[in-house]
Amino acid sequence: MGSAKSYRIAVVGGDGIGPEVIAEGLKVIKAAGITLDTSDYDLGGARYVKDGTVLPDDVLDEWRSFDAIYLGAVGTPAVPPGLIERGLLLKMRFELDLYVNLRPFKKAGEHPHDFVVIRENTEGAYAGEGGFLRKGTPHEIATQGSVNTRMGAERAIRFGFELAMRRNKHLTLVHKTNVLTFSGDLWERAFNEVALEYPEVTTAYNHVDAACIYFVQDPQRYDVVVTDNLFGDILTDLGGAVSGGIGLAASANLNPTRNGPSMFEPVHGSAPDIAGQQKANPIAAILSGAMMLDFLGESAAAERITAACDACSEMIGSTSEIGDAVSAHL
């Protein structure tokens, strides 16, 4: 059963396996009966090598009128590390105010778990504060600060409480308050004050190093986790590893105020070594597409796609064969 509504989606296939897995995601969305009006954008490492383009401001302005952005993967060995990440992904997050990075982790079997991590997505160590003194000399100094505002921390925390209310009413803050006594203090105070507004939600706190242990040994303790940008980046890769592998890890970069498009992408990289060989698992991209549909209000279709991905999660086959199998399960 499909939807009569059509959604305008900006599609960035990107580099390496990105276009392959996004093609499968679009195939599955169509099979679910959802109509997308897509516009393709040639952006990523290969585009930069070709003409120096990363993310022009006029493209950003175009995107503001779209319902969502669906991205595969970007990056190529021919481009210096950080250039595309900062110039495309981080610019997108900052300029479109995609302040919540939402990543779900689910695993069936003898010891199942089902939790989500909310990573604050526009501040912290990735805000770009810092610089060099005496670069290239024996006395070189590099500083890289973590920028934390009360507004930035509180809106991510508040999103966490709202999500916890819709799930199992349990929220864990992860930080490093015993060492990061300024940013940690701000986050902890904001968390405790917002918690007073949600008396039904049980709360917990873990230092990030302890959380790394618990993600491996006891992930069942978690339902919703909220944390800062850097810790969230690291923890969510670990979450993917303990939940079946990074090839199954989906993500949403959300603008919860909906005054612009949100962006949806698999967590994995561009894997240039297997590009064009139909070896990439498209499940993460397909699940990211399901998250996109859910955010657009197509929850029934999103649930059907997620269930179909669960049924095919251990399938071995080519990229397109796995996409076909998920489509067939709908």
Side-chain angles (χ1 to χ4, degrees):
M1 188 174 182
S3 170
K5 187 174 182 180
S6 178
Y7 300 93
R8 294 188 66 226
I9 307 298
V11 177
V12 182
D15 300 308
I17 63 172
E20 298 173 55
V21 296
I22 286 298
E24 299 310 308
L26 293 172
K27 175 199 295 182
V28 170
I29 290 171
K30 183 178 180 181
I34 304 299
T35 302
L36 302 183
D37 176 12
T38 60
S39 296
D40 292 316
Y41 288 84
D42 177 20
L43 297 170
R47 174 67 186 276
Y48 176 79
V49 170
K50 184 165 59 178
D51 62 12
T53 298
V54 181
L55 177 55
D57 290 339
D58 60 343
V59 171
L60 263 177
D61 289 339
E62 285 180 27
W63 284 351
R64 296 181 196 280
S65 65
F66 281 77
D67 293 307
I69 302 163
Y70 192 27
L71 186 145
V74 294
T76 171
V79 179
L83 194 151
I84 299 300
E85 291 84 354
R86 181 160 289 280
L88 177 60
L89 297 178
L90 293 190
K91 182 177 180 179
M92 191 187 309
R93 293 170 183 174
F94 296 158
E95 294 296 326
L96 299 177
D97 203 22
L98 309 179
Y99 66 84
V100 164
N101 189 302
L102 184 66
R103 299 189 181 183
F105 301 103
K106 187 175 182 180
K107 185 178 181 180
E110 186 179 355
H111 302 288
H113 60 251
D114 180 357
F115 66 94
V116 294
V117 176
I118 296 162
R119 164 189 171 191
E120 196 290 316
N121 213 28
T122 60
E123 298 187 346
Y126 294 175
E129 191 276 334
F132 290 101
L133 292 173
R134 307 186 188 98
K135 187 175 183 181
T137 76
H139 304 288
E140 181 173 342
I141 301 169
T143 62
Q144 191 83 55
S146 178
V147 178
N148 299 265
T149 68
R150 172 62 189 241
M151 180 198 75
E154 182 173 327
R155 64 184 184 175
I157 289 166
R158 193 171 294 279
F159 186 93
F161 275 101
E162 290 291 335
L163 182 57
M165 286 291 293
R166 299 194 299 273
R167 286 175 55 96
N168 296 308
K169 298 181 179 178
H170 189 278
L171 179 64
T172 303
L173 170 66
V174 172
H175 211 283
K176 188 66 175 171
T177 56
N178 58 338
V179 175
L180 303 179
T181 53
F182 302 123
S183 60
D185 182 73
L186 184 152
W187 271 83
E188 190 169 44
R189 280 186 289 110
F191 184 83
N192 290 338
E193 290 169 21
V194 174
L196 297 176
E197 303 175 33
Y198 297 87
E200 296 177 64
V201 176
T202 302
T203 61
Y205 170 80
N206 292 156
H207 291 324
V208 66
D209 42 354
C212 288
I213 296 170
Y214 298 144
F215 266 41
V216 175
Q217 294 184 346
D218 185 25
Q220 294 80 15
R221 70 169 56 210
Y222 295 116
D223 186 55
V224 182
V225 175
V226 64
T227 189
D228 86 339
N229 206 337
L230 177 58
F231 295 149
D233 192 1
I234 296 167
L235 279 175
T236 51
D237 280 355
L238 180 57
V242 301
S243 303
I246 208 74
L248 304 179
S251 77
N253 296 262
L254 302 179
N255 176 337
T257 61
R258 299 177 187 264
N259 59 6
S262 294
M263 186 268 279
F264 302 82
E265 60 172 336
V267 174
H268 60 66
S270 59
D273 56 320
I274 60 170
Q277 301 176 42
Q278 283 286 301
K279 292 182 178 179
N281 188 336
I283 292 290
I286 296 170
L287 287 171
S288 298
M291 294 182 75
M292 178 172 71
L293 295 186
D294 185 58
F295 193 72
L296 293 174
E298 299 288 349
S299 299
E303 290 175 5
R304 289 169 56 217
I305 292 173
T306 300
C309 286
D310 290 344
C312 299
S313 62
E314 297 184 7
M315 177 182 170
I316 297 174
S318 70
T319 306
S320 60
E321 286 172 344
I322 294 174
D324 289 341
V326 173
S327 297
H329 270 83
L330 294 172

